[in-house]
Amino acid sequence: MPSRDTVDTLLFGEQPALSAQFVRVAGALFFLALFAHLPVRYLGSITTSDGVVIGVVAAVMLVVAAVGAYVNSGVLVSIALAAGVGVGFYAPAIVFELRDPGEATLWILAVGSFSSLAVGVAGFAVGRGVRRFDE
């Protein structure tokens, strides 16, 4: 069975202070994604469920999660960074009345939360792989 220090390092990263800063960055990414939602609202031909928009959001989520894993290698930190973007982008669907409240809640839970978990773990794997390749 792995030691507690190994598990803590895997989950939270090698440097706890840096992990705390990354969680603050995740909060900032949430607000940036929230405001990035505004142009999509005013462009009539683009919706938040458009394939290109979903692809761009997923790519940004993957990149920030991979950078977090490359720098500090904490899987929960990578998930938090991905969630900052994913949940931040899809959370205002109710506020902007892009979807009815029941559908928007499901959309936030399904797309925002689940994709944050999946893309955060994938970003962690990419970041750790690149870091091991560089070593």
Side-chain angles (χ1 to χ4, degrees):
M1 188 159 139
S3 72
R4 183 163 175 83
D5 290 337
T6 304
V7 173
D8 285 349
T9 300
L10 176 67
L11 293 176
F12 303 110
E14 298 161 346
Q15 302 170 27
L18 186 57
S19 295
Q21 288 178 341
F22 275 140
V23 171
R24 288 185 202 104
V25 169
L29 289 172
F30 174 85
F31 286 107
L32 285 174
L34 191 71
F35 291 120
H37 198 283
L38 292 174
V40 173
R41 178 182 179 215
Y42 292 113
L43 297 173
S45 62
I46 298 176
T47 65
T48 56
S49 60
D50 186 40
V52 174
V53 173
I54 291 173
V56 169
V57 171
V60 171
M61 289 168 64
L62 183 70
V63 167
V64 298
V67 167
Y70 180 82
V71 172
N72 196 31
S73 71
V75 70
L76 293 179
V77 176
S78 292
I79 292 169
L81 288 167
V85 176
V87 175
F89 188 79
Y90 289 105
I94 296 171
V95 175
F96 297 141
E97 298 176 1
L98 297 174
R99 301 181 176 277
D100 64 67
E103 186 179 334
T105 303
L106 180 61
W107 183 254
I108 293 165
L109 290 174
V111 176
S113 300
F114 180 73
S115 67
S116 297
L117 177 65
V119 174
V121 170
F124 172 77
V126 168
R128 284 297 295 156
V130 170
R131 185 171 176 179
R132 285 192 182 247
F133 183 74
D134 285 347
E135 294 174 351

